């Protein structure tokens, strides 16, 4: 096995066209400095880029194509970067140098960075270069996962539901010819709000666990 390895789970990053472009540049730089890479005419390493969006997937080999698909996408599901030496490809990454980076929007799928090589310097420099760029792309989704944020969101939902129920009851009750019309209307609207808030809260939590986030102006 390769003698040296570092890995890291990736969470809470926002990927833009600019950061994606810089990331690919870094990986091509690391490819050129890979110990197994001999010359431009006879390369001993390869960078494969995989992007899945709008229920379609493509494996490509250039930054131009990756950025083209990224900018065309309505919803990017995942982007995978596989930088591998010839030895790593032949041995299914048992030997040789490689760097894998997976960014996935699905909250149940792990996003990660792995760098490995017999050459410790290449492994460390490659890992540090990519990790530093990803840190610059950090977002604040982790705040939504804190206990205080959960409490605030829950209280805000309860308060909003109560106020909305009072307002709804004041509009509905005058049209009902029954006893305790206001109370019944209030409970009806409150029940509806409670069910809606269950779905809304689930959506907020899903956002907080998103690893790959696209700009809101896309």
């Amino acid at each position: 096995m390769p003698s040296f390895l570092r890995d890291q789970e990736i969470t809470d990053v926002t990927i833009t066209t600019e950061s994606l472009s810089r990331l690919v540049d870094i990986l091509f730089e690391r490819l050129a400095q890979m110990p197994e890479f001999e010359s431009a005419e006879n390369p001993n390493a390869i960078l494969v880029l995989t992007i899945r969006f709008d229920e379609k997937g493509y494996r490509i080999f250039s930054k131009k194509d990756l950025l083209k698909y990224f900018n065309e996408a309505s919803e990017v599901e995942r982007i995978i970067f596989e930088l591998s030496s010839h030895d790593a490809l032949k041995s299914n990454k048992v030997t040789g140098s490689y760097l894998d980076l997976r960014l996935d929007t699905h909250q149940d799928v792990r996003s990660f960075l792995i760098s490995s090589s017999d050459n410790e310097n290449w492994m460390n420099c490659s890992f540090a270069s990519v990790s530093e760029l990803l840190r610059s792309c950090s977002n604040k989704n982790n705040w939504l996962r804190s206990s205080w944020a959960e409490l605030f969101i829950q209280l805000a939902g309860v308060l909003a539901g109560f106020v909305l129920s009072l307002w709804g009851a004041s509009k509905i009750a005058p049209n009902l010819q029954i006893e305790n019309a206001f109370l019944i209307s209030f409970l009806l609207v409150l029940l509806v709000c409670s069910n809606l808030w269950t779905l809304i809260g689930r959506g907020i939590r899903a956002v907080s666990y998103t690893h790959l986030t696209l700009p809101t102006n896309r």
Side-chain angles (χ1 to χ4, degrees), residues 206-217:
V207 170
S208 73
Y209 282 94
T210 296
H211 303 305
L212 174 63
T213 305
L214 298 181
T216 56
N217 61 349

Side-chain angles (χ1 to χ4, degrees), residues 10 29 33 94 110-111 140 144 148 152 178:
I10 305 300
E29 290 171 6
Q33 298 179 39
V94 174
R110 180 172 172 261
S111 295
K140 305 302 180 183
L144 293 174
W148 286 108
F152 175 80
I178 58 175

Side-chain angles (χ1 to χ4, degrees), residues 140-204:
K140 305 302 180 183
N141 286 355
N142 60 319
W143 290 7
L144 293 174
R145 294 197 292 273
S146 69
S147 299
W148 286 108
E150 286 273 354
L151 177 61
F152 175 80
I153 291 170
Q154 190 62 32
L155 290 177
V158 171
L159 180 60
F162 179 77
V163 172
L164 186 59
S165 297
L166 287 176
W167 176 83
S170 69
K171 298 296 182 180
I172 297 173
N175 300 311
L176 298 179
Q177 302 301 320
I178 58 175
E179 188 177 352
N180 297 320
F182 185 86
L183 177 59
I184 292 173
S185 300
F186 174 82
L187 293 176
L188 175 62
V189 178
L190 183 62
L191 181 62
V192 172
C193 289
S194 297
N195 283 278
L196 288 176
W197 180 245
T198 300
L199 297 177
I200 294 172
R202 189 179 303 163
I204 293 174

Side-chain angles (χ1 to χ4, degrees), residues 7-192:
D7 63 346
Q8 174 185 350
E9 186 170 1
I10 305 300
T11 60
D12 308 318
V13 295
T14 296
I15 300 298
T16 64
T17 301
E18 292 74 21
S19 58
L20 187 61
S21 175
R22 180 57 186 145
L23 179 56
V24 176
D25 288 341
I26 289 173
L27 291 176
F28 274 115
E29 290 171 6
R30 300 315 304 165
L31 183 150
Q33 298 179 39
M34 185 177 282
E36 295 89 344
F37 189 86
E38 296 178 347
S39 70
E41 292 76 25
N42 183 28
N44 227 7
I46 189 172
L47 175 60
V48 180
L49 310 168
T50 303
I51 181 169
R52 179 171 173 79
F53 64 95
D54 302 340
E55 300 184 351
K56 298 176 292 186
Y58 298 91
R59 299 190 75 198
I60 48 186
F61 304 90
S62 71
K63 180 172 76 171
K64 179 181 177 181
D65 288 337
L66 179 63
L67 295 180
K68 172 179 176 290
Y69 289 132
F70 183 80
N71 289 321
E72 289 178 353
S74 299
E75 180 183 0
V76 174
E77 300 169 38
R78 72 181 62 94
I79 306 176
I80 302 173
F81 307 82
E82 297 173 289
L83 174 58
S84 305
S85 68
H86 185 60
D87 290 340
L89 289 173
K90 286 197 306 182
S91 65
N92 196 27
K93 299 179 180 176
V94 174
T95 61
S97 303
Y98 67 91
L99 183 147
D100 287 346
L101 172 62
R102 180 187 181 112
L103 300 173
D104 202 297
T105 61
H106 199 286
Q107 66 185 61
D108 295 326
V109 178
R110 180 172 172 261
S111 295
F112 59 84
L113 167 65
I114 299 176
S115 179
S116 181
S117 178
D118 293 325
N119 185 302
E120 185 178 12
N121 183 62
W122 184 90
M123 181 274 297
N124 279 325
C125 289
S126 299
F127 183 90
S129 298
V130 175
S131 182
E132 182 178 350
L133 175 65
L134 293 174
R135 278 197 300 272
S136 72
C137 302
S138 296
N139 57 43
K140 305 302 180 183
N141 286 355
N142 60 319
W143 290 7
L144 293 174
R145 294 197 292 273
S146 69
S147 299
W148 286 108
E150 286 273 354
L151 177 61
F152 175 80
I153 291 170
Q154 190 62 32
L155 290 177
V158 171
L159 180 60
F162 179 77
V163 172
L164 186 59
S165 297
L166 287 176
W167 176 83
S170 69
K171 298 296 182 180
I172 297 173
N175 300 311
L176 298 179
Q177 302 301 320
I178 58 175
E179 188 177 352
N180 297 320
F182 185 86
L183 177 59
I184 292 173
S185 300
F186 174 82
L187 293 176
L188 175 62
V189 178
L190 183 62
L191 181 62
V192 172

